[in-house]
Amino acid sequence: MRFPALKMALATGLMATSAMGLVVHASSHNEAPAISQLRQVDGTDFYMFRSYEPGREDYMTIMGNYYPLQQPYGAVVFFAMDEDAVYELHLDNDGDNVEDLTFQFDFNIELGGITVDAGGQQTEVALYSAGVIGPNREDNAALNLRETYTLTLIEGDRRRGKKTVLRDRETGSHIFQKPADYVGTDTFGGPGNYETYARDHVYEFDMPDCDMPGKVFVGQRKDPFNVNLGQAFDLLNFQTLNEDGSVTPFLPVGEANSDIGPDVTDDDNVTTLSVELPIACTTADGDPVVGGWTTASLPKARLLRNLSEKRKDPDFEAGRLVQVSRLGSPLVNELVIGLSDKDRFNNSEPKDDGQFANYVTNPAFPEIIESVFGGAGVVVPAPNLFPRTDLIATFLTGLTVPNTFNTAPQSGTALSEMMRLDTSVAATPFGMQNPLGVLDFEDLGEGVERPYLAADPAGYPNGRRPGDDVIDITLRAAMGTLISVGFFGEAEDAPAGLVPFVDGARRTSLEFLNEFPYFETPLPGDRDD
């Protein structure tokens, strides 16, 4: 590995630095002032990748996670979605930076009103469930709060485009059920039963003018994001817990330290909105590149009702929809957009992202890393090549890696932040995926020819899979990896570009499922650890 002097300086000075260098809020969990007050519509992560489930090679999977930091024991009502909101997954397939296909989810909550005989009088129960649920979606008579949703495909503008209500291919119904949250093992008849119950809520649907069915699943999942957040805030006090209760400090650098720290989201759940779509019916005009992002919107007006009256809802909402959450590439609003503009970014659309371009062309985050490390006598120079064309390509226009992938659409030159996927790149099979995707340079030595071929061209920033370690990738990209390897400059323009930054928390593809909906079974409310 290059930069031995830099690694020695890190070893002697890193533990005295400030936490500012790695301030993240678990991807997009509570990333902006306004959305932190609206947990039900807070988008946490967005995923878009070519399906790697065997036999599904002609499909792509799109997933938006919402409602962050769900503790498994979230009684009594657990984590219902917002009935007044619309949640959307958007796709741009012609490179003009506006949505061409939108999958809109609209939720409804029905209270069961289940009663029991209490001394000859039927008394309504106070619990989320009044007995065992499952294993089939029809076996929900004991469920006291039921969530359903409709799924609408909008072609063109999300508010004025052509709308098609999608239907369950098996029954023809336009009403889809969301599985109950994982209350605990007994509620679902014993350990191991919940996943069978949840899988019965995977539906197939037909898209207009498409002879291949899509799939949809909405439900609670174990939070797939991974980050060593607490220790980063504690003055970069990175340490691993030993079996005897002692702690050992470690450096946030090097692959040996990539998976020895705590993962703070490892005990949380989220709610996943996911669709699997035929690539042939999603791309357009021979261009394999698809851009994507997710949003949530609420009605503009909210009126609180008199809570002494017996009503289903404590509020009344009306008026045009106002977007309150937006997420494409991970960590953009968290690490790139300035604090005063975070809510404005959540309220904006990709086509208008020129207003935020300076945060990418002249980013503050690498300068903060340099300053806090420098304050401890550790030299970690920020890239000195401005404007940062490497980050412009990664986040705003699409990235071309020769002989590997090309996420730059054939049309469209405006700056717009969204996740981009080159669907012509074959999926890397389960178990063979590299969590660093394109930016794995651990085997890159002196004299290597540049530019080099990506270690895993199907990984982030060519879309994003569950096992991609976007924290480590983003840290390295911010410090100029793509400059150092010769794509956007020379090695001397990014002296720290090949430092293998890590945060000490990593999950690989092997820790996820090998089939739709890919994310792991949520944690049960009765867990004892």
Side-chain angles (χ1 to χ4, degrees):
M1 173 57 64
R2 305 176 66 188
F3 306 116
L6 175 59
K7 291 186 71 176
M8 181 63 69
L10 284 168
T12 58
L14 188 55
M15 292 308 153
T17 61
S18 162
M20 292 177 65
L22 288 176
V23 173
V24 293
H25 237 312
S27 195
S28 187
H29 302 50
N30 300 336
E31 83 285 356
I35 199 63
S36 66
Q37 308 300 313
L38 299 166
R39 288 183 62 200
Q40 287 174 295
V41 289
D42 185 357
T44 70
D45 287 279
F46 180 70
Y47 298 80
M48 184 167 64
F49 54 94
R50 187 159 173 173
S51 299
Y52 51 87
E53 177 183 344
R56 305 293 287 183
E57 295 82 5
D58 294 331
Y59 287 79
M60 61 182 293
T61 298
I62 307 159
M63 315 173 86
N65 287 345
Y66 281 87
Y67 209 150
L69 307 176
Q70 297 179 16
Q71 291 296 318
Y73 43 84
V76 171
V77 295
F78 287 84
F79 303 100
M81 303 300 278
D82 192 325
E83 286 185 289
D84 297 310
V86 294
Y87 302 80
E88 295 169 316
L89 303 175
H90 307 282
L91 297 177
D92 168 24
N93 61 16
D94 60 8
D96 64 354
N97 306 309
V98 297
E99 65 273 7
D100 297 296
L101 301 174
T102 293
F103 293 84
Q104 184 181 95
F105 299 80
D106 198 347
F107 290 88
N108 183 67
I109 297 173
E110 178 184 351
L111 301 181
I114 297 174
T115 62
V116 296
D117 188 327
Q121 180 171 329
Q122 292 297 311
T123 302
E124 185 175 344
V125 303
L127 303 178
Y128 184 76
S129 61
V132 175
I133 301 170
N136 303 311
R137 61 177 181 251
E138 292 83 8
D139 188 13
N140 62 0
L143 185 58
N144 205 23
L145 187 153
R146 303 175 187 176
E147 287 182 88
T148 60
Y149 63 95
T150 58
L151 177 61
T152 302
L153 170 61
I154 305 172
E155 299 174 75
D157 184 274
R158 69 176 91 173
R159 300 291 174 255
R160 298 183 295 273
K162 176 185 176 182
K163 296 184 178 182
T164 301
V165 177
L166 301 179
R167 297 177 178 274
D168 176 14
R169 205 178 194 211
E170 179 181 350
T171 67
S173 174
H174 70 287
I175 303 296
F176 300 92
Q177 294 184 43
K178 173 179 174 286
D181 294 335
Y182 199 175
V183 178
T185 52
D186 280 1
T187 298
F188 292 92
N193 288 346
Y194 183 84
E195 189 61 23
T196 300
Y197 164 76
R199 293 295 183 91
D200 199 43
H201 292 77
V202 174
Y203 298 87
E204 284 194 338
F205 61 84
D206 288 317
M207 293 173 59
D209 304 316
C210 184
D211 58 5
M212 300 170 65
K215 286 184 179 180
V216 62
F217 171 81
V218 174
Q220 192 180 51
R221 297 276 93 185
K222 185 177 183 291
D223 193 333
F225 192 65
N226 53 283
V227 61
N228 183 359
L229 185 62
Q231 293 182 0
F233 274 116
D234 187 24
L235 302 179
L236 290 182
N237 181 27
F238 286 91
Q239 52 187 280
T240 184
L241 180 65
N242 302 316
E243 292 184 0
D244 62 2
S246 63
V247 296
T248 302
F250 70 89
L251 301 177
V253 64
E255 288 306 290
N257 294 333
S258 64
D259 190 30
I260 64 174
D263 177 2
V264 298
T265 59
D266 196 41
D267 59 356
D268 293 330
N269 296 323
V270 292
T271 299
T272 295
L273 285 62
S274 53
V275 292
E276 187 180 46
L277 307 173
I279 293 174
C281 301
T282 306
T283 55
D285 300 326
D287 188 348
V289 178
V290 178
W293 68 100
T294 183
T295 63
S297 302
L298 287 168
K300 185 174 183 179
R302 169 175 285 181
L303 176 66
L304 291 179
R305 299 179 186 270
N306 185 342
L307 298 183
S308 65
E309 301 177 11
K310 188 172 183 179
R311 296 181 181 271
K312 174 187 174 183
D313 299 316
D315 62 10
F316 172 79
E317 300 195 12
R320 69 177 182 87
L321 291 169
V322 176
Q323 181 180 298
V324 295
S325 181
R326 168 190 169 187
L327 185 62
S329 296
L331 303 168
V332 169
N333 205 1
E334 297 70 37
L335 297 183
V336 179
I337 304 299
L339 184 60
S340 64
D341 279 333
K342 289 183 181 295
D343 288 319
R344 194 154 64 94
F345 180 83
N346 272 340
N347 190 238
S348 66
E349 299 180 42
K351 65 181 179 63
D352 300 319
D353 282 346
Q355 63 185 314
F356 305 113
N358 66 295
Y359 289 121
V360 178
T361 61
N362 298 75
F365 180 53
E367 306 302 323
I368 292 175
I369 293 180
E370 177 181 329
S371 66
V372 293
F373 280 78
V378 181
V379 181
V380 185
N384 53 25
L385 189 64
F386 297 101
R388 288 289 301 275
T389 54
D390 57 323
L391 298 185
I392 293 172
T394 300
F395 294 125
L396 300 181
T397 61
L399 179 64
T400 299
V401 179
N403 304 313
T404 303
F405 71 86
N406 175 26
T407 60
Q410 293 176 1
S411 63
T413 57
L415 303 179
S416 58
E417 193 286 304
M418 64 179 78
M419 186 173 292
R420 294 174 171 89
L421 174 68
D422 182 352
T423 62
S424 68
V425 176
T428 303
F430 182 73
M432 298 177 63
Q433 298 172 12
N434 188 322
L436 292 176
V438 178
L439 295 189
D440 185 2
F441 54 82
E442 286 300 297
D443 295 327
L444 190 65
E446 296 289 351
V448 69
E449 293 185 5
R450 296 181 174 84
Y452 72 106
L453 298 182
D456 188 349
Y460 182 72
N462 183 22
R464 179 188 179 187
R465 303 165 302 195
D468 289 340
D469 190 342
V470 296
I471 289 285
D472 291 358
I473 294 172
T474 300
L475 287 172
R476 299 176 189 202
M479 296 307 290
T481 293
L482 291 172
I483 298 174
S484 294
V485 299
F487 293 138
F488 295 94
E490 303 295 334
E492 56 265 26
D493 296 319
L498 297 184
V499 175
F501 292 104
V502 299
D503 75 323
R506 178 174 294 175
R507 301 179 208 169
T508 69
S509 64
L510 292 174
E511 298 176 69
F512 296 92
L513 304 179
N514 191 25
E515 57 185 334
F516 186 81
Y518 292 99
F519 298 145
E520 297 172 278
T521 305
L523 301 170
D526 63 336
R527 62 180 307 204
D528 58 4
D529 57 349

